[in-house]
């Protein structure tokens, strides 16, 4: 009966199960390798992981399903960010599953049938199951909802979308379990020795007090330093790991021509919604009028306070029936609503039903007559459960005596919901829906709240033609004067601000916070350095013209590509050589930090209570090399010059304060083990990913 509606309304919850397992990989950050070139190979494949191809049709079906679930869960209309997140979500699921697959098979990890049953219907079900079947009123896991869902899915023919949803959820439960087993195996291999625990304890508790003289890099003018090719090569060779690109990226300079709604556009939409308000007030077909005129098709059902938009919510529950409220402006939309009915009713209902199919009963009249007869038998004391088994065509619920469990408003089709929520506890009522004739028995009613049925109409504040034409005219003028060499010059002449976006990836949807069309990013990954966009690209509120300024291939980046990135660091390296020479000359013959400071015309500064685990010099910066050197010195002996991040230092330890010896290292060991355990999954997954052969062609399709 209301199962399709049940599925639609529960889909937003079921997606939590999909999200749970994939969220781990999502938080890992840049874990995706790209194939090169992007879309030159495997025309119908989104990608492959360790040789396992991912077909575009299968992948796209999951993206569409996930996107719809996100839309239902988050509300509103589909937007590019929702679609992009869904693509990432599904890709991460494939990545997790395939990378773990070979590992868990290699070491013999599996989830047996009995174990899976326990994870689904046992005393302590998987968190994914608990989250997917949570009672919306109490926030707690509802076992009745789970059992009802399983029974109704079992009654549906194979190939129904509900089977796919259920199987996907079960697969994610299995994946989560095998992932947990794999992680536990790694965690159980972690062992912390007493020596390690003692060292960790000392690093966090041993205090150093020292004086230092700092020769700041800023004291040397940049103009006084000449950088040679050898200086760049030395720095590059010492820091090659920093310049390894995990995936191919592009850099752009671009101009945004803003076409966002103006005050005039807002006034125009307000006028429109005011006109609709007057018509809605006079309307005698409120639901139809709202359905025809609203941008968003809101459900025409009773809802309790808190279920409308916040601005409407405060108005609807304080006015009599027949009142039209608004307009209110919320999230870029004007909203109006007419109160059609209001009453006090239960928050949720526990009910059973018997479903009759008019087509098999000889027509609607005969079906209604039979429903009346069955109702009479129930009211005379006949067993509802026995009659459900005998007469109901709802195979999912009849095996449970017609029980549907507990459901809140909005979970069933309107005709069924109205009958169940309007009836009294213990009452038997008849309702007709698109599924057939229902004989409904209300077993229990839970909670009580005032509810309102309202016809809601909204209109988004969109940019008008004048606004769009003005922005497009500016973009066209700029675009028409461009060539490969005059991008910045033309922008300056026309008073336009040039923005820059570096290291954008192939699946990017924004540039420095500005939403951009995917077509623009695809162009960037198919263009050559220096190319100008082939057209003016259009997003919802902007027109964009761009120029490709840089290409960074996947893998080790050559020196000439990263030269500008390292220029500041190389300059400080060269300055450090000169400053170290000055400091060394000052230290010759000196026996204290004070004497060295005098020679350099510097007063030594004091740093107190510094610990090795937090190498920060107060008021200066984090200085790993300096603090590390301090803990290797003897007191009252000036150090050699140390190249730090802010300048060149000479330090002298005044004293160390040793902590009391730990009486029990077990707590320290446990703390270290917990810290390591929190990182093991990330590190293990990174190792698997680094070893894997991952080809990512998503940018070709999305």
């Amino acid at each position: 009966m209301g199962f399709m509606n049940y599925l639609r309304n529960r889909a937003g919850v079921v997606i939590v199960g999909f999200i749970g397992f994939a969220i781990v990989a999502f938080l890992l950050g840049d874990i995706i390798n790209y194939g090169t070139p992007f879309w030159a190979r495997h025309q119908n494949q989104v990608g492959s992981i360790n040789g396992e191809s991912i077909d575009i049709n299968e992948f796209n079906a999951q993206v569409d399903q996930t996107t719809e679930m996100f839309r239902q869960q988050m509300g509103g209309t589909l937007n590019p960010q929702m679609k992009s997140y869904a693509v990432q979500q599904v890709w991460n699921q494939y990545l997790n599953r395939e990378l773990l697959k070979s590992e868990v098979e290699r070491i013999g990890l599996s989830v047996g049938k009995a174990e899976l049953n326990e994870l689904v219907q046992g005393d302590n079900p998987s968190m994914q199951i608990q989250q997917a079947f949570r009672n919306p009123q109490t926030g707690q896991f509802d076992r009745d909802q789970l059992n009802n869902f399983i029974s109704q899915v079992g009654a549906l023919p194979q190939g129904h979308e509900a089977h796919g949803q259920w199987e996907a959820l079960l697969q994610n439960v299995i994946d989560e379990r095998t992932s947990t087993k794999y992680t536990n195996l790694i965690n159980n291999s972690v062992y912390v020795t007493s020596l390690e625990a003692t060292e960790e304890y000392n690093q966090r508790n041993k205090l150093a007090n020292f004086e230092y003289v700092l020769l700041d890099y800023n004291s040397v003018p940049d103009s006084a330093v000449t950088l040679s090719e050898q200086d760049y090569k030395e720095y590059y060779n010492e820091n090659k790991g920093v310049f390894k690109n995990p995936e191919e990226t592009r850099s752009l300079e671009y101009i945004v021509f803003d076409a966002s709604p103006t005050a005039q556009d807002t006034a125009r939409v307000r006028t429109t919604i005011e006109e609709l308000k007057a018509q809605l007030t006079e309307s005698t077909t409120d639901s139809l009028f709202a359905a025809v005129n609203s941008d968003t098709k809101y459900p025409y059902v009773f809802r309790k306070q808190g279920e409308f938009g916040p601005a409407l919510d405060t108005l609807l529950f304080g006015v009599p029936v027949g009142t039209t409220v608004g307009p209110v402006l919320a999230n870029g939309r004007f909203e109006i609503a007419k109160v059609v009915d209001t009453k006090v009713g239960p928050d949720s209902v526990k009910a059973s039903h018997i479903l009759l199919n008019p087509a098999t009963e000889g027509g609607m009249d005969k079906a209604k007559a039979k429903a009346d007869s069955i109702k009479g038998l129930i009211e005379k004391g006949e067993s509802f459960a026995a009659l459900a088994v005998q007469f109901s065509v709802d195979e999912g619920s009849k095996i449970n005596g017609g029980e549907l469990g507990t459901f809140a408003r909005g979970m069933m089709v309107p005709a069924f919901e109205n009958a169940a929520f309007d009836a009294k506890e213990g009452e038997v009522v008849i309702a007709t829906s698109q599924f057939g004739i229902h004989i409904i028995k209300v077993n229990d009613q839970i909670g009580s709240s005032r509810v309102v049925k309202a016809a809601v109409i909204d209109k988004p504040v969109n940019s008008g033609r004048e606004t769009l034409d003005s922005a497009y005219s500016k973009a066209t003028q700029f675009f028409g004067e461009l060539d490969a060499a005059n991008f910045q010059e033309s922008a300056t002449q026309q008073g336009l601000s040039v923005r820059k976006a570096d290291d954008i990836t192939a699946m990017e949807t924004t540039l420095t916070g500005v939403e951009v069309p995917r077509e623009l990013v695809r162009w960037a990954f198919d263009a050559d350095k220096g190319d100008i966009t082939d057209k003016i690209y259009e997003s919802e509120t902007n027109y964009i013209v761009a120029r490709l300024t840089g290409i960074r291939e996947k893998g080790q980046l050559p020196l000439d590509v990263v030269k500008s990135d390292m220029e500041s660091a190389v300059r400080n390296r060269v300055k450090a050589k000169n400053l170290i020479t000055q400091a060394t000359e000052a230290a010759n013959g000196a026996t204290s930090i004070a004497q060295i400071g005098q020679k350099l015309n510097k007063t030594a500064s004091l740093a107190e209570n510094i610990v090795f685990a937090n190498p920060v010099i107060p008021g200066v910066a984090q200085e790993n090399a300096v603090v590390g050197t301090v803990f290797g010195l003897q007191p009252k002996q000036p150090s050699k010059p140390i190249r730090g991040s802010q300048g060149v230092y000479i330090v002298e330890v005044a004293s160390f304060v040793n902590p009391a010896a730990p009486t029990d290292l077990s707590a320290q060991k446990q703390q270290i083990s917990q810290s390591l355990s929190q990182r093991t999954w990330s590190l293990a997954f990174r190792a698997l990913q680094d070893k894997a052969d991952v080809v990512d062609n998503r940018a070709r399709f999305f």
Side-chain angles (χ1 to χ4, degrees), residues 25 151 199 207 238 308 319 371 454 465 506-507 547 567 580 629 637 658 667:
S151 65
E199 181 64 20
L207 304 178
E238 290 178 21
F308 294 94
V319 296
R465 175 51 53 193
M507 293 304 297
R547 176 177 176 269
E567 183 175 343
I580 287 173
T629 300
Q637 294 182 9
N658 293 309

Side-chain angles (χ1 to χ4, degrees), residues 13-166:
V13 180
V14 173
I15 186 57
V16 178
F18 289 85
I19 295 175
F21 182 67
I23 200 70
V24 176
F26 186 76
L27 293 175
L28 291 180
D30 299 327
I31 60 173
I32 302 170
N33 283 324
Y34 285 84
T36 48
F38 268 78
W39 39 75
R41 298 176 293 168
H42 313 300
Q43 294 297 307
N44 295 317
Q45 295 177 12
V46 177
S48 65
I49 303 170
N50 285 337
E52 292 291 330
S53 299
I54 304 171
D55 182 73
I56 178 57
N57 296 321
E58 177 187 341
F59 189 89
N60 207 31
Q62 293 191 36
V63 169
D64 289 344
Q65 185 180 67
T66 304
T67 302
E68 176 60 20
M69 290 178 174
F70 285 167
R71 189 192 64 77
Q72 292 187 27
Q73 187 180 47
M74 301 174 189
T77 56
L78 180 66
N79 58 57
Q81 285 75 19
M82 221 177 273
K83 179 67 174 285
S84 176
Y85 186 75
V87 171
Q88 185 69 45
Q89 179 88 16
V90 174
W91 176 259
N92 284 340
Q93 289 173 352
Y94 275 100
L95 193 64
N96 273 271
R97 189 169 296 155
E98 291 301 327
L99 290 185
L100 279 177
K101 180 180 176 181
S102 58
E103 280 297 295
V104 298
E105 289 178 352
R106 182 176 64 83
I107 58 182
L109 291 179
S110 64
V111 177
K113 182 179 293 186
E115 185 179 7
L116 180 59
N117 288 337
E118 186 67 20
L119 289 169
V120 174
Q121 293 182 291
D123 294 335
N124 186 29
S126 162
M127 284 305 299
Q128 294 195 53
I129 296 294
Q130 294 186 42
Q131 290 170 337
F133 297 96
R134 181 173 291 171
N135 188 302
Q137 305 301 319
T138 65
Q140 301 299 311
F141 169 58
D142 191 331
R143 194 174 293 275
D144 288 340
Q145 286 188 19
L146 169 64
N147 293 334
N148 184 47
F149 185 88
I150 293 174
S151 65
Q152 296 196 50
V153 168
L156 292 170
Q158 287 297 321
H160 192 280
E161 62 178 354
H163 283 284
Q165 290 181 344
W166 179 238

Side-chain angles (χ1 to χ4, degrees), residues 642-664:
I642 309 163
R643 185 182 66 204
S645 65
Q646 296 299 305
V648 171
Y649 295 77
I650 294 180
V651 298
E652 180 179 294
V653 174
S655 64
F656 290 113
V657 180
N658 293 309
T663 56
D664 182 11

Side-chain angles (χ1 to χ4, degrees), residues 85-305:
Y85 186 75
V87 171
Q88 185 69 45
Q89 179 88 16
V90 174
W91 176 259
N92 284 340
Q93 289 173 352
Y94 275 100
L95 193 64
N96 273 271
R97 189 169 296 155
E98 291 301 327
L99 290 185
L100 279 177
K101 180 180 176 181
S102 58
E103 280 297 295
V104 298
E105 289 178 352
R106 182 176 64 83
I107 58 182
L109 291 179
S110 64
V111 177
K113 182 179 293 186
E115 185 179 7
L116 180 59
N117 288 337
E118 186 67 20
L119 289 169
V120 174
Q121 293 182 291
D123 294 335
N124 186 29
S126 162
M127 284 305 299
Q128 294 195 53
I129 296 294
Q130 294 186 42
Q131 290 170 337
F133 297 96
R134 181 173 291 171
N135 188 302
Q137 305 301 319
T138 65
Q140 301 299 311
F141 169 58
D142 191 331
R143 194 174 293 275
D144 288 340
Q145 286 188 19
L146 169 64
N147 293 334
N148 184 47
F149 185 88
I150 293 174
S151 65
Q152 296 196 50
V153 168
L156 292 170
Q158 287 297 321
H160 192 280
E161 62 178 354
H163 283 284
Q165 290 181 344
W166 179 238
E167 290 168 5
L169 178 57
L170 291 180
Q171 185 60 56
N172 277 285
V173 170
I174 294 171
D175 291 342
E176 181 185 50
R177 184 62 171 171
T178 53
S179 174
T180 298
K181 288 182 175 182
Y182 184 75
T183 304
N184 287 341
L185 280 176
I186 298 174
N187 287 343
N188 289 335
S189 70
V190 174
Y191 178 73
V192 180
T193 67
S194 297
L195 181 62
E196 289 173 318
T198 301
E199 181 64 20
E200 174 78 7
Y201 175 81
N202 286 331
Q203 288 180 6
R204 295 189 177 279
N205 294 280
K206 182 177 180 179
L207 304 178
N209 301 304
F210 63 90
E211 292 183 283
Y212 65 91
V213 170
L214 168 62
L215 299 179
D216 199 301
Y217 295 137
N218 290 331
S219 64
V220 181
D222 290 351
S223 58
V225 176
T226 301
L227 306 185
S228 68
E229 191 66 21
Q230 184 61 33
D231 293 326
Y232 282 106
K233 287 181 179 178
E234 288 179 2
Y235 184 86
Y236 177 80
N237 290 332
E238 290 178 21
N239 297 275
K240 271 194 172 181
V242 176
F243 305 113
K244 188 174 182 179
N245 210 20
E247 57 184 289
E248 188 174 339
T249 60
R250 295 288 194 270
S251 296
L252 294 172
E253 57 181 7
Y254 63 102
I255 295 174
V256 175
F257 298 88
D258 188 9
S260 299
T262 63
Q264 289 79 6
D265 294 321
T266 302
R268 171 179 49 80
V269 179
R270 177 182 283 276
T271 299
T272 300
I273 201 77
E274 291 282 9
E275 293 172 354
L276 289 172
K277 178 181 180 181
Q279 297 173 39
L280 178 60
T281 301
E282 300 298 325
S283 175
T284 57
T285 55
D286 304 312
S287 62
L288 178 60
F289 185 84
V292 170
N293 290 284
S294 182
D295 185 72
T296 303
K297 308 308 177 188
Y298 295 99
Y300 188 63
V301 295
F302 281 100
R303 290 188 278 179
K304 63 182 181 179
Q305 195 157 12

Side-chain angles (χ1 to χ4, degrees), residues 596-634:
I596 296 172
Q598 288 176 354
K599 292 183 178 181
L600 293 170
N601 295 318
K602 297 277 187 179
T603 301
S605 300
L606 178 63
E608 297 182 293
N609 299 327
I610 307 300
V611 296
F612 185 88
N614 184 30
V616 174
I617 299 177
V620 184
Q622 178 172 321
E623 291 287 7
N624 298 350
V626 177
V627 174
T629 300
V630 164
F631 279 87
L633 294 175
Q634 294 297 319

